[in-house]
Amino acid sequence: MIVGYSYAAENLCPSCTIKAMRASGITVQRGKPHEEAIRKAAEKLGIDFDDEHSYDSGDFPKPVTDQQCETEVTELPDAEPGVRHAISDERCSGTNCGKWLKLGEKSPTEAGLTRWVRDDYELPQALAREIARKLREWGLSHKEFITEDNVRQAAAMFPHDYATVHAEGNPQHIELRRTPEYDDAPCFYCEQPWEKHTFTCITCANHVPADAPHGHEVQVKGQIKFREAKPTT
């Protein structure tokens, strides 16, 4: 299946290929499927489109199939040194395009990726937003190439309330609880234990390690009273 074309030292999506051909003075019929239109243009120029060795891609586009798409390799964060993420697709290099050739579409916007992360992994909006930004920073901008491990790893990098799944008796009755029921119970969002979390203090709004002492003195009816700040539930 043809997903793009190699032309003038670039791999382009069909739309950008036709634009580049016209910019080079090659007439391409409008209103036809890209392969049919490009094949017809080749015939008019006396080019054997089916024999890619008979002409140079600098003169006329050569087809790129889905199996020929080069793998894009993305560096994963420093937390996993030497580990790289392989994406079996590549982007169109046309100006302001960036479509994935095999997928035939662009990556979603940051807002769109945030919505997908939030809904698919049942995450709080604020945490999903931070995760989406981090995934894009790692080069993982399309859901097709994002794994659950990628999302969980990103989640562990940002302060968020701990939550664990509890299903008492009836598996269909699932609820999230803010405190672990046993040692090392993993967080529903990042799979880290409770002690690894950082909460936001409801009094001072600072980020506080879950297992660190933290409190405030507040005035109550003329007396000083110590109140321990606890994570929000």
Side-chain angles (χ1 to χ4, degrees), residues 84-189:
R84 293 161 72 88
H85 189 101
I87 299 173
S88 58
D89 202 346
E90 61 183 304
R91 298 175 189 265
C92 170
S93 54
T95 305
N96 298 323
C97 183
K99 284 183 179 179
W100 296 98
L101 295 185
K102 288 173 68 174
L103 293 175
E105 61 184 34
K106 294 183 179 182
S107 291
T109 62
E110 184 175 303
L113 188 60
T114 295
R115 286 192 297 272
W116 175 77
V117 169
R118 179 197 65 198
D119 297 342
D120 214 60
Y121 291 94
E122 302 179 66
L123 296 167
Q125 173 72 17
L127 180 58
R129 185 184 305 113
E130 296 292 351
I131 291 172
R133 289 174 180 169
K134 182 58 65 175
L135 291 172
R136 288 166 65 90
E137 180 183 314
W138 292 344
L140 305 176
S141 59
H142 196 286
K143 61 184 182 182
E144 185 77 16
F145 312 123
I146 296 171
T147 67
E148 181 175 333
D149 285 345
N150 299 146
V151 175
R152 304 300 180 198
Q153 185 178 19
M157 301 177 71
F158 300 100
H160 62 273
D161 288 345
Y162 172 92
T164 187
V165 172
H166 179 75
E168 186 174 0
N170 183 0
Q172 294 181 343
H173 181 65
I174 294 177
E175 61 182 68
L176 293 181
R177 294 190 176 180
R178 300 301 179 183
T179 55
E181 296 183 88
Y182 55 88
D183 291 343
D184 298 326
C187 173
F188 176 70
Y189 304 134

